[in-house]
C-alpha cells in the first residue's frame, strides 16, 4: 500500500512480505530508507506532530510509534488481533485502528497510546477512510465468500458528536444496497450499541446513490 506524509512530500510503501516500511524519493524512483519490523506491515499514518504510526499483523498485533524524521522506533504497543488499518484524525486528535479479528474499531490516544473507545463494526474491518472534512469515517469490512444480510459491508461513523457516536450500517441484499440507521450511546460501563430501524415491518429502504455523500 502507498501512503503520503509530510503534507504530500513523502511517499511510503508498506511491504507486507518483507515486513518493511519503505520510504521512497519524492519522484517515487529510488528507495531512501527501509524500516524493518517483526511481522507484516499493514498500514501507517502521520499525526499532527509529524510522528508516524504503523500497525503490524499477527494474533498479537503491534502498533509502532516512529520519529517522523529519523524513522526510528520510539515505542511499540500490543494492539489487538491483526490491526488492519490506522488513521490519525485531527478533529478527535486520536488514532483510529481497525482490529480485523476483534471485529472492532479502536480509538487510541496518541499521547498515552492507550485505548479510549472500542466500537463493534461488524465482520473483520479491513480498511477505512475519512471524509466530510474529517468529521466521518467509512470503515470497510471483509465479506465471507457467500454474502449475507448478517454482515454489514461498511460502517459510517460520525466522530464529531459530543454525547454519542452515530453510525450507519450498509447491508448487502442481492442485487442492491439497503441502509439501517443506528446509534452507539456512551454508558458508564462503556459503549453499548442500540440498533434502531426505520422501516418497521416493511422492507429495508433502498440506499440512494447520494446517501454516502
Amino acid at each position: 500500500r502507498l501512503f503520503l506524509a509530510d503534507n504530500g512530500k513523502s511517499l511510503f510503501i508498506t511491504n507486507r512480505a518483507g515486513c518493511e516500511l519503505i520510504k521512497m524519493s519524492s519522484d517515487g524512483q529510488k528507495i531512501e530508507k527501509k524500516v524493518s519490523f517483526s511481522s507484516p506491515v499493514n498500514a501507517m499514518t502521520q499525526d499532527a506532530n509529524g510522528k508516524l504510526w504503523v500497525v503490524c499483523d499477527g494474533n498479537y498485533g503491534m502498533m509502532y510509534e516512529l520519529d517522523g524524521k529519523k524513522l526510528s522506533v520510539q515505542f511499540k504497543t500490543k494492539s489487538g488481533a491483526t490491526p488492519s488499518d490506522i488513521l490519525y484524525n485531527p478533529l478527535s486528535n486520536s488514532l483510529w485502528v481497525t482490529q480485523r479479528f476483534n471485529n472492532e474499531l479502536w480509538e487510541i490516544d496518541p499521547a498515552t497510546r492507550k485505548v479510549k473507545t472500542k466500537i463493534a463494526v461488524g465482520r473483520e474491518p479491513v480498511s477505512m477512510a475519512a471524509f466530510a472534512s474529517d468529521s466521518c469515517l467509512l470503515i470497510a469490512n471483509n465479506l465471507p465468500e457467500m454474502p449475507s444480510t448478517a454482515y454489514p459491508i461498511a460502517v459510517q461513523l460520525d466522530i464529531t458528536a459530543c454525547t454519542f457516536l452515530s453510525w450507519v450500517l450498509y447491508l448487502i441484499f442481492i442485487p442492491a444496497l439497503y441502509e439501517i440507521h443506528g446509534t452507539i450511546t456512551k454508558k458508564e460501563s462503556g459503549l453499548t450499541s442500540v440498533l434502531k430501524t426505520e422501516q418497521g415491518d416493511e422492507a429495508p429502504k433502498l440506499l440512494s446513490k447520494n446517501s454516502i455523500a
Side-chain angles (χ1 to χ4, degrees), residues 4-207:
L4 293 175
D6 303 323
N7 295 317
K9 297 178 182 178
S10 298
L11 174 64
F12 290 85
I13 299 174
T14 54
N15 176 13
R16 277 184 53 82
C19 301
E20 296 174 325
L21 178 67
I22 302 171
K23 183 179 182 181
M24 304 294 296
S25 59
S26 56
D27 60 5
Q29 299 300 308
K30 296 185 298 182
I31 294 176
E32 293 188 349
K33 192 165 185 176
K34 293 182 179 180
V35 183
S36 297
F37 299 89
S38 59
S39 57
V41 181
N42 281 335
M44 65 151 276
T45 191
Q46 186 176 42
D47 66 19
N49 297 315
K51 296 179 181 179
L52 301 182
W53 298 84
V54 176
V55 288
C56 292
D57 226 343
N59 290 332
Y60 300 99
M62 298 294 294
M63 181 180 72
Y64 294 85
E65 178 186 338
L66 278 66
D67 181 282
K69 300 292 185 182
K70 300 177 182 179
L71 301 186
S72 56
V73 175
Q74 305 296 300
F75 295 97
K76 60 180 181 179
T77 309
K78 290 183 179 180
S79 184
T82 308
S84 51
D85 204 0
I86 185 170
L87 189 66
Y88 172 76
N89 187 279
L91 296 184
S92 61
N93 190 31
S94 54
L95 299 165
W96 295 86
V97 179
T98 50
Q99 297 289 354
R100 181 169 181 175
F101 295 121
N102 292 100
N103 300 321
E104 293 174 334
L105 175 69
W106 289 7
E107 181 186 9
I108 298 175
D109 183 347
T112 62
R113 299 176 296 281
K114 293 183 178 180
V115 179
K116 297 169 59 178
T117 306
K118 293 183 179 181
I119 305 170
V121 290
R123 183 185 188 271
E124 298 182 23
V126 291
S127 186
M128 61 183 155
F131 66 103
S133 300
D134 291 319
S135 66
C136 293
L137 294 179
L138 184 65
I139 300 98
N141 290 336
N142 182 43
L143 287 177
E145 291 184 6
M146 295 296 292
S148 165
T149 58
Y151 301 114
I153 64 171
V155 175
Q156 176 181 314
L157 177 70
D158 178 6
I159 64 173
T160 61
C162 296
T163 57
F164 66 91
L165 299 173
S166 302
W167 52 278
V168 179
L169 298 182
Y170 296 99
L171 308 183
I172 188 164
F173 286 81
I174 304 300
L177 286 175
Y178 297 79
E179 70 176 358
I180 291 178
H181 292 278
T183 61
I184 295 178
T185 57
K186 287 188 177 181
K187 292 187 177 181
E188 291 182 0
S189 58
L191 285 179
T192 304
S193 62
V194 182
L195 183 63
K196 297 179 181 179
T197 60
E198 290 186 343
Q199 70 274 8
D201 295 329
E202 301 176 359
K205 182 173 63 176
L206 180 64
L207 180 64

